Amino acid sequence: MKAVIMAGGMGTRLRPLTDNMPKPMVPIHGRPAMEYAVMLLKRHGITDIAVTLCYHPKMIMNYFGDGSRFGVHFEYFIEKEPLGTAGSVKQAQEFLDETFLAISGDGITDIHLGKIINFHQKKQAMVTMALTWVEDPTQFGIVITDEDGRIRRFIEKPKPEQVFTNTINAGIYVIEPDVFTYVPDGFYDFSKQLFPRLMTENMPFYGVQAKGYWKDIGTIEQYNQVHVDIKNGKLNHDYKEAM
């Protein structure tokens, strides 16, 4: 299986940390955030990886190179202008010619990817979304599934009065390449455009609860909390000996 790391974000809420570096390069215990995603993929045997870039792309390319020193292989796809999450991934369409996993380059997690992949294959889904639970879901996409796991309701960044669950989109997806027929050229977003379309057209769009640590580093407070959590051993990762 192949993967794509979405690493084009500017991280405006993390300023001033991201004034001169892309969000996936902000340091977490001395290593770029994206490095944790790379090692998570490698742990699950996924080593053929596309990386979508936009903001300060050379910083990421210069650090990670072709991926060989991390035991993986990278292909880079650079947006000349922002294309949205789905639009940026579509740039890598020729590379992503089989079932693939999409993951954010700036989330910190130890979620078991194999369980999500197995669920996706069992359901013969077009897209399977990893789900997790948070105390405040207003900065994320909230999700309700039916008993079979099919996604029935999805709202991106709901207002407090719209919150109907604390289960959210963890930003990790297993995707069939057929999905690209639903993604037009240009700017297109997974959460705001593609996912609602899949639900409207009753495509096999599923969600599965993912167990394990997951933390977005979208704000300075969340960024600081990740450091505390890692120090306290809450993340199962590949760098424990270096902490």
Side-chain angles (χ1 to χ4, degrees):
M1 178 175 286
K2 295 180 179 179
V4 55
I5 297 176
M6 299 172 286
M10 294 177 64
T12 53
R13 292 180 296 158
L14 271 181
R15 288 175 174 165
L17 284 176
T18 52
D19 279 345
N20 297 300
M21 73 169 64
K23 188 179 175 186
M25 288 299 294
V26 297
I28 305 290
H29 277 283
R31 306 177 192 276
M34 181 175 142
E35 193 167 333
Y36 290 86
V38 172
M39 299 312 292
L40 179 66
L41 291 171
K42 182 183 175 184
R43 186 190 310 162
H44 289 88
I46 303 172
T47 58
D48 211 4
I49 304 169
V51 183
T52 64
L53 305 173
C54 185
Y55 181 61
H56 289 307
K58 288 188 177 179
M59 290 189 68
I60 293 175
M61 296 171 71
N62 288 343
Y63 180 86
F64 287 97
D66 64 2
S68 57
R69 72 187 180 98
F70 302 96
V72 300
H73 169 72
F74 285 142
E75 294 282 345
Y76 294 102
F77 299 87
I78 302 175
E79 302 167 61
K80 295 180 180 178
E81 57 185 32
L83 293 173
T85 48
S88 67
V89 171
K90 186 169 183 176
Q91 282 198 124
Q93 181 174 357
E94 289 189 10
F95 176 83
L96 300 170
D97 56 357
E98 59 185 62
T99 304
F100 65 93
L101 187 141
I103 187 170
S104 171
D106 50 46
I108 304 300
T109 182
D110 59 13
I111 285 173
H112 194 297
L113 303 180
K115 293 181 179 179
I116 303 166
I117 294 166
N118 290 340
F119 180 91
H120 175 87
Q121 293 170 338
K122 179 181 178 181
K123 297 296 183 181
Q124 296 183 321
M126 178 176 284
V127 176
T128 298
M129 174 191 295
L131 307 176
T132 192
W133 189 96
V134 295
E135 290 187 6
D136 178 10
T138 56
Q139 295 302 309
F140 306 99
I142 55 175
V143 184
I144 282 184
T145 64
D146 63 19
E147 293 182 357
D148 192 45
R150 190 181 283 260
I151 293 175
R152 295 304 185 186
R153 294 187 69 188
F154 180 89
I155 299 179
E156 180 68 9
K157 295 184 178 178
K159 296 176 182 178
E161 62 271 21
Q162 293 177 306
V163 172
F164 49 77
T165 180
N166 289 71
T167 298
I168 66 158
N169 170 14
I172 299 173
Y173 318 114
V174 182
I175 303 175
E176 295 301 318
D178 290 349
V179 81
F180 290 122
T181 62
Y182 295 85
V183 180
D185 293 334
F187 188 97
Y188 208 69
D189 187 79
F190 276 131
S191 295
K192 295 179 180 178
Q193 293 168 290
L194 178 62
F195 296 159
R197 181 178 179 184
L198 294 180
M199 286 192 295
T200 298
E201 300 190 19
N202 201 32
M203 292 295 103
F205 177 35
Y206 286 80
V208 58
Q209 194 71 35
K211 295 182 180 180
Y213 181 87
W214 181 91
K215 182 73 73 175
D216 177 58
I217 56 168
T219 67
I220 293 294
E221 292 75 18
Q222 292 166 333
Y223 175 74
N224 289 336
Q225 187 61 50
V226 164
H227 284 80
V228 174
D229 290 346
I230 292 177
K231 189 173 181 63
N232 290 337
K234 292 185 178 181
L235 178 73
N236 177 23
H237 57 90
D238 303 272
Y239 296 130
K240 191 166 291 185
E241 73 282 356
M243 292 297 108

